[in-house]
Amino acid sequence: MNYHDLLMNRRSVRDYEDRPVPHELIESMIRESTLAPSAGNGQPWEFIVVHRKEMLRRISDESKKNILSRIAANPDDYAGKYQTMLENDAFNVFYNAPCLVMVLGRSGLKNLHVDCALAASYFMMAATRRGLGTCWVNLGTEIKAPDMIRDLGIPEGSQIVAPIIIGYPTSIPSAPRRNEPNIIKVIV
């Protein structure tokens, strides 16, 4: 796949075949994602991989509960637009994908979100090159229950930056229309 095709085929996929992604394949994509640049070459990223469907459902339910609680406390919360969807017991924030890869790192690092986002982008490109679909599901960051944090193995002082679902797509959605770049000024 050439670079242009890679960019055109990297889409947010929310519908997957019911078949597992081999863990060895996930590990090779994680290795490729660590080639991403990072501030001062700090490489702050860490990864958690979840293949077990029951755990994916638990994480989804935990996230939904915490987001709904946040919306109840602040009706102006941006997540309010998802309230009806989140109240649906059948809705899974991970769209029943067969695998979840969480990119996380130590809280408080100045460039943590940028560095982890770059690693997440590399991971999604690595998946696309292999014919896999991904979607960064920010709704999956809302993990607060101590038992869930323990069961996931999230180190104390770390935070989830990019929960990425991955699997074999049933189809690749077409690219939404993109705005023309807004080049403010060219200095020659």
Side-chain angles (χ1 to χ4, degrees):
M1 184 178 294
N2 69 39
Y3 185 65
H4 179 264
D5 291 340
L6 184 66
L7 293 176
M8 294 307 292
N9 285 295
R10 207 296 317 150
R11 305 273 57 93
S12 293
V13 175
R14 294 177 181 87
D15 192 20
Y16 299 93
E17 294 178 10
D18 186 21
R19 70 173 163 140
V21 179
H23 186 72
E24 300 75 31
L25 192 55
I26 298 291
E27 282 187 5
S28 72
M29 291 182 288
I30 288 173
R31 274 193 295 284
E32 288 179 16
S33 74
T34 64
L35 297 172
S38 60
N41 196 30
Q43 303 178 44
W45 39 70
E46 300 169 314
F47 304 87
I48 293 172
V49 181
V50 181
H51 292 283
R52 191 177 316 139
K53 286 188 181 215
E54 303 82 38
M55 179 57 91
L56 287 165
R57 174 50 82 174
R58 279 183 60 204
I59 301 165
S60 173
D61 291 346
E62 166 76 4
S63 293
K64 286 166 46 175
K65 176 187 76 162
N66 291 328
I67 296 167
L68 287 169
S69 190
R70 204 177 73 205
I71 294 167
N74 177 12
D76 294 328
D77 189 298
Y78 78 93
K81 65 184 177 181
Y82 302 115
Q83 184 169 354
T84 302
M85 185 172 62
L86 294 168
E87 290 172 336
N88 179 348
D89 288 337
F91 176 71
N92 182 322
V93 300
F94 301 123
Y95 301 95
N96 301 306
C99 185
L100 168 68
V101 174
M102 294 179 164
V103 184
L104 60 151
R106 301 292 174 175
S107 302
L109 291 177
K110 181 180 179 200
N111 296 302
L112 178 67
H113 285 84
V114 172
D115 290 347
C116 287
L118 285 164
S121 293
Y122 273 46
F123 180 81
M124 291 185 285
M125 293 296 184
T128 300
R129 186 177 72 77
R130 290 167 171 84
L132 293 160
T134 60
C135 186
W136 179 328
V137 183
N138 204 53
L139 295 174
T141 62
E142 297 290 325
I143 310 299
K144 298 190 183 338
D147 63 327
M148 176 71 64
I149 292 168
R150 181 196 66 237
D151 292 350
L152 285 169
I154 298 173
E156 187 173 334
S158 289
Q159 69 180 93
I160 302 165
V161 176
I164 302 169
I165 53 176
I166 182 167
Y168 296 95
T170 57
S171 63
I172 305 290
S174 58
R177 188 185 83 69
R178 299 289 187 203
N179 296 331
E180 286 297 314
N182 182 13
I183 300 171
I184 297 172
K185 185 175 186 173
V186 176
I187 301 172
V188 212

